[in-house]
Amino acid sequence: MMYWTDWYRNAPAIETSNMDGTEREVFVDTGLGLPNGLTLDIQSQQICWGDAGVRKIECIRTDGIGRRVITEDAQYPFDVSLYGNDVYYSDWSV
């Protein structure tokens, strides 16, 4: 599977498909502004992203369950990475 963010201002989304592009579908489409910095942790089966539009870092399991906010205090998150139980992100405005 592959995952990507779409900054389309009228309907931002995180999407998914098979590696050959088949079975494309919207994975997350609520509560988003400018989602970016997407990262996937295979071991914990979770996807995390930064969203500069709503100033949050969020994670969700790959089955679409358990969406949670990591922080609501990110000014302009640009990139996100997971290492063990830690989430790291770069902020474009700091």
Side-chain angles (χ1 to χ4, degrees):
M1 298 298 295
M2 64 178 159
Y3 299 86
W4 67 93
T5 63
D6 185 346
W7 280 16
Y8 180 55
R9 299 262 183 184
N10 293 329
I14 297 172
E15 298 185 48
T16 184
S17 76
N18 292 323
M19 293 298 286
D20 64 0
T22 61
E23 297 186 39
R24 180 179 176 172
E25 63 182 50
V26 174
F27 186 64
V28 177
D29 64 352
T30 59
L32 299 174
L34 294 171
N36 55 32
L38 192 69
T39 189
L40 169 65
D41 181 19
I42 301 281
Q43 186 173 16
S44 67
Q45 292 295 296
Q46 62 179 340
I47 297 166
C48 298
W49 66 92
D51 192 317
V54 295
R55 298 180 175 190
K56 293 179 183 179
I57 306 294
E58 295 187 72
C59 296
I60 192 169
R61 291 190 341 217
T62 55
D63 61 7
I65 298 173
R67 182 175 175 179
R68 67 188 195 287
V69 175
I70 304 302
T71 184
E72 296 182 79
D73 195 27
Q75 291 299 307
Y76 200 103
F78 186 70
D79 198 10
V80 176
S81 183
L82 297 172
Y83 183 75
N85 291 326
D86 297 317
V87 177
Y88 297 92
Y89 71 94
S90 62
D91 195 309
W92 208 340
S93 65
V94 177

